[in-house]
Amino acid sequence: EARAASAIAMSKGDAPPAHWLHLSRPFAWTDHGPVLLSWSGTMFEYLMPTLFFRMPPETVLEEACRRAVKVQQDYGRRHRVPWGVSESGYHVLNSEDHYQYRAFGVPDLGLNRSLGRRLVVAPYASLMATSIDPGGTFENLQALAALGAIGPGGPYEALDFGPTADRSKRP
């Protein structure tokens, strides 16, 4: 993710602090206010840097993360599925019968125009939002559990609600 790479480069002295200002991400307007766009509109792109870097309250980055979670939640409600769209495996196999992996994102959050063609929910993505919306995350985990997406070892990789997914076989 660009924010993490930039912060590491600056901390090593490989880039000046002004480098941060050159990340210039475009904004989009959502029902929850303006939000910085990411390439794919995935939960991972928004929240992964918060695992390693402080997110000062009442900053553009903190608001972008909060609003991205809200947009993800709205997207799940609109499609009547749990929320948490991110990078994950999905129900397409290669010639060696391995599940394929790619970034799935929410169209309102991403610059990539091919988003939204397939709906895949990654349970880990909602877990990343625990610090932003603990109650919403708990409710989403309950919805995921009701669909069989949480097993004895924890959450499964993904729930593929796409057109080729076999809905008779739960995760």
Side-chain angles (χ1 to χ4, degrees):
E1 208 281 337
R3 284 184 291 161
S6 180
I8 291 168
M10 288 184 299
S11 69
K12 291 176 52 191
D14 293 344
H19 172 72
W20 185 260
L21 301 175
H22 296 285
L23 292 177
S24 66
R25 291 171 49 190
F27 284 86
W29 192 261
T30 70
D31 290 342
H32 303 284
V35 67
L36 291 168
L37 295 177
S38 71
W39 175 247
S40 298
T42 70
M43 194 73 89
F44 185 82
E45 288 174 320
Y46 282 94
L47 301 182
M48 184 278 298
T50 67
L51 299 175
F52 301 102
F53 303 106
R54 195 172 60 83
M55 186 172 59
E58 299 180 26
T59 62
V60 170
L61 291 175
E62 192 254 354
E63 284 299 316
C65 289
R66 286 192 183 286
R67 290 177 181 153
V69 170
K70 294 290 184 202
V71 171
Q72 286 258 353
Q73 291 168 334
D74 289 349
Y75 190 74
R77 271 191 292 279
R78 208 166 42 250
H79 292 282
R80 297 182 179 161
V81 300
W83 54 271
V85 179
S86 205
E87 292 85 345
S88 68
Y90 64 111
H91 195 266
V92 170
L93 302 174
N94 67 11
S95 61
E96 298 172 349
D97 285 338
H98 297 153
Y99 287 103
Q100 298 300 289
Y101 181 92
R102 64 171 275 224
F104 297 95
V106 172
D108 290 347
L109 295 173
L111 293 166
N112 184 340
R113 293 296 98 202
S114 68
L115 299 173
R117 292 187 182 151
R118 186 179 198 107
L119 180 53
V120 177
V121 174
Y124 83 86
S126 64
L127 285 169
M128 292 182 76
T130 301
S131 65
I132 291 175
D133 185 359
T137 299
F138 180 74
E139 290 173 10
N140 199 51
L141 290 173
Q142 289 178 313
L144 288 163
L147 290 173
I150 301 177
Y156 288 105
E157 172 73 13
L159 291 162
D160 187 342
F161 296 99
T164 61
D166 182 350
R167 299 232 191 335
S168 69
K169 295 178 183 174
R170 296 289 173 155

